[in-house]
Amino acid sequence: MEKNKLRHVAVIMDGNGRWAAERGLERAEGHREGAKRVLSFIESLAGYDISYVTLYAFSTENWKRSSEEVSTLMNLLCEFLD
């Protein structure tokens, strides 16, 4: 594929809670770090002619988490999508 020919990039965000647990951090810290990395990744796409970026950041399974964690995830989505 030639450079600058990508049109759509999709990212499945997974493993942030495990990342935090492996480091002895709260799950929320992992989610925040994941959001920062997505921003960095999106910025790295600036030199490409990308029309669409899809972030799969919240699945139906995530609703089974604690209300505190769901709230944290929703707040992060609002903060970073702004």
Side-chain angles (χ1 to χ4, degrees):
M1 180 177 287
E2 292 179 44
K3 186 176 179 183
N4 296 331
K5 292 293 182 183
L6 293 172
R7 295 288 183 250
H8 183 196
V9 174
V11 177
I12 299 172
M13 298 177 67
D14 187 36
N16 295 324
R18 287 186 298 277
W19 179 91
E22 290 170 0
R23 289 157 179 78
L25 302 170
E26 297 288 325
R27 290 180 64 84
E29 298 279 335
H31 297 311
R32 178 162 292 285
E33 183 62 29
K36 287 184 204 173
R37 290 187 185 213
V38 165
L39 284 178
S40 176
F41 173 72
I42 290 172
E43 289 171 357
S44 75
L45 298 176
Y48 297 88
D49 187 20
I50 305 291
S51 299
Y52 304 97
V53 175
T54 300
L55 298 176
Y56 189 70
F58 194 88
S59 73
T60 56
E61 294 295 311
N62 292 137
W63 289 114
K64 297 176 184 175
R65 296 179 182 196
S66 71
S67 59
E68 181 181 339
E69 187 170 2
V70 169
S71 179
T72 296
L73 288 165
M74 291 297 143
N75 288 334
L76 276 171
L77 283 170
C78 290
E79 178 183 338
F80 280 88
L81 289 177
D82 228 7

